[in-house]
Amino acid sequence: MLIKKAEEIRGSEITPKWLYVNRRRFLTGALGVTAGALAGRTLKELAWPAQRVMAGSKLNVARKSPFSTNEEVTPYDDVTHYNNFYEFGVGKEEPAEKAKNFRTSPWSVKVSGLVEKPRTFSVEELMQLAPLEERIYRHRCVEAWSIVVPWTGYSLSVLLKEVAPQPKAKFVAFETYYNPGQMPVANYAGIPFPYVEGLRLDEAMHPLALLCFGMYGETLPNQDGAPVRMVVPWKYGFKSIKSLVKIKLVEKQPPATWNMANPSEYGFYSNVNPNVDHPRWSQAKERRLGEFFRRPTLMFNGYADQVASLYAGMDLRKYF
Ligand code: MTE
């Protein structure tokens, strides 16, 4: 397979984000309706787990999470039409269109490896493992933009405790569903599939690491990683792997897609760090999707109090 270099891919993204988003907001405003409002009105309440989890169904959030920020939430339309999901195209507008018919039901997630109780969960079973919480995170993406999204899910630690990691388990490896029949444009993405990611076990056990089923009070739209994804808010967006089908506990650091594709640009840790530049752009400032002016990026995306201790004594320039 011909693997394009990341520079070639990224270089083709020519519309600046603020311009794209503002144009989009203008168009949506002119129509007088947002996709979120439309989906909310036309879809029936989801009575899980009796009913299958379908993208865009209402989620009754059990409780607010203490991890919420008070920052203004990014409009639904921006978050659902400016995506990275290379299985459905490399253009930011492509996943919303090309993932429309992605079949996400029935769906199961296999949890295996160095655990006492390996098990395959249906997504409905997974949703019942813990009360769902709404967590409003400031989530940073790869190319210096950020979003603030009311995600719905629970700490991945709940699932990991359920399967009981063995003492030898040191890392968690994640894998996305891959089916070229459903993802014909994936061939042109220039990165290998299935998309894989990894976290150190202590990172994965951190209460901020979210196993995520929904956003904006509904189950995840396909382009945002339906029916279940990770959200790791103190790391760059590519660590937040979408449409999960496998979680495996392992002894050695597992492969991670962008790190494999371009190790000098994308490290395994990928903690948000304004002091370590990406080789081709500064990471010191970010543009919030929908805003014009850039704002300073915060260390660990503003979660330093919660997560800095995970990296005590590590040289974050080396382990970027
Ligand atoms: N997961 C899969 N399976 N495939 C992808 O291409 N892109 C990653 C991450 N998860 C990606 C993925 C990148 S680069 C980013 S920035 C975030 O998803 C984007 O998430 P969003 O589209 O919900 O904002």
Side-chain angles (χ1 to χ4, degrees):
M1 186 175 82
L2 179 69
I3 306 215
K4 275 202 284 180
K5 282 205 244 124
E7 327 167 5
E8 294 167 45
I9 304 158
R10 303 289 160 115
S12 67
E13 294 157 357
I14 40 170
T15 317
K17 277 150 216 110
W18 61 269
L19 182 62
Y20 164 85
V21 164
N22 285 326
R23 188 189 71 208
R24 183 151 195 104
R25 174 143 329 115
F26 172 78
L27 291 172
T28 322
L31 288 171
V33 61
T34 67
L38 193 63
R41 271 205 305 275
T42 55
L43 287 159
K44 281 201 293 184
E45 289 261 309
L46 176 77
W48 56 267
Q51 216 171 301
R52 291 265 186 225
V53 177
M54 303 301 287
S57 305
K58 288 274 176 228
L59 269 181
N60 293 318
V61 173
R63 61 180 186 211
K64 281 254 177 216
S65 158
F67 293 110
S68 286
T69 75
N70 294 323
E71 292 181 69
E72 199 185 327
V73 166
T74 308
Y76 177 94
D77 200 38
D78 297 341
V79 174
T80 54
H81 289 84
Y82 197 88
N83 296 102
N84 272 343
F85 199 168
Y86 275 38
E87 288 85 336
F88 296 104
V90 300
K92 305 295 180 213
E93 299 180 48
E94 276 183 284
E97 184 56 35
K98 299 203 168 121
K100 254 185 194 153
N101 300 321
F102 179 35
R103 284 189 300 280
T104 60
S105 176
W107 192 276
S108 57
V109 179
K110 180 180 175 189
V111 190
S112 66
L114 300 171
V115 294
E116 298 300 339
K117 297 190 276 178
R119 185 175 153 191
T120 298
F121 298 84
S122 69
V123 72
E124 291 80 8
E125 284 170 334
L126 265 190
M127 285 174 90
Q128 288 189 94
L129 268 192
L132 295 181
E133 292 176 350
E134 186 183 73
R135 298 179 170 196
I136 304 185
Y137 285 149
R138 179 164 170 268
H139 190 212
R140 287 264 292 132
C141 283
V142 206
E143 293 151 64
W145 83 89
S146 64
I147 50 179
V148 179
V149 176
W151 301 105
T152 306
Y154 56 74
S155 289
L156 176 69
S157 63
V158 174
L159 171 61
L160 296 177
K161 283 180 193 153
E162 180 69 23
V163 295
Q166 294 171 1
K168 268 169 78 180
K170 296 285 181 283
F171 291 89
V172 183
F174 302 91
E175 191 174 310
T176 292
Y177 176 77
Y178 181 54
N179 176 349
Q182 285 206 62
M183 301 156 166
V185 289
N187 270 332
Y188 309 101
I191 55 172
F193 293 112
Y195 195 97
V196 290
E197 255 306 336
L199 293 172
R200 235 171 42 195
L201 182 57
D202 58 341
E203 297 179 311
M205 291 294 287
H206 193 282
L208 270 173
L210 190 75
L211 189 67
C212 176
F213 303 92
M215 55 192 235
Y216 301 86
E218 296 176 354
T219 48
L220 289 167
N222 290 348
Q223 65 268 36
D224 288 273
V228 54
R229 67 175 288 174
M230 284 299 300
V231 178
V232 194
W234 71 95
K235 293 179 180 280
Y236 291 112
F238 58 91
K239 299 297 286 182
S240 293
I241 184 169
K242 296 177 169 181
S243 304
L244 274 173
V245 283
K246 285 185 193 163
I247 298 177
K248 188 170 183 184
L249 282 85
V250 294
E251 198 174 354
K252 301 234 161 64
Q253 184 175 300
T257 293
W258 280 104
N259 177 241
M260 282 191 292
N262 199 336
S264 63
E265 301 203 344
Y266 304 104
F268 176 80
Y269 282 93
S270 293
N271 291 316
V272 172
N273 188 343
N275 309 315
V276 176
D277 286 344
H278 183 281
R280 286 180 290 122
W281 57 78
S282 162
Q283 308 262 36
K285 287 197 172 171
E286 70 199 48
R287 196 184 314 277
R288 180 68 48 85
L289 223 54
E291 290 181 4
F292 183 81
F293 293 108
R294 288 168 21 113
R295 53 171 79 206
T297 290
L298 302 177
M299 189 65 200
F300 297 115
N301 198 23
Y303 296 101
D305 288 351
Q306 287 88 356
V307 300
S309 61
L310 291 172
Y311 310 101
M314 281 175 71
D315 177 353
L316 298 182
R317 290 190 174 276
K318 188 169 166 204
Y319 298 102
F320 61 96

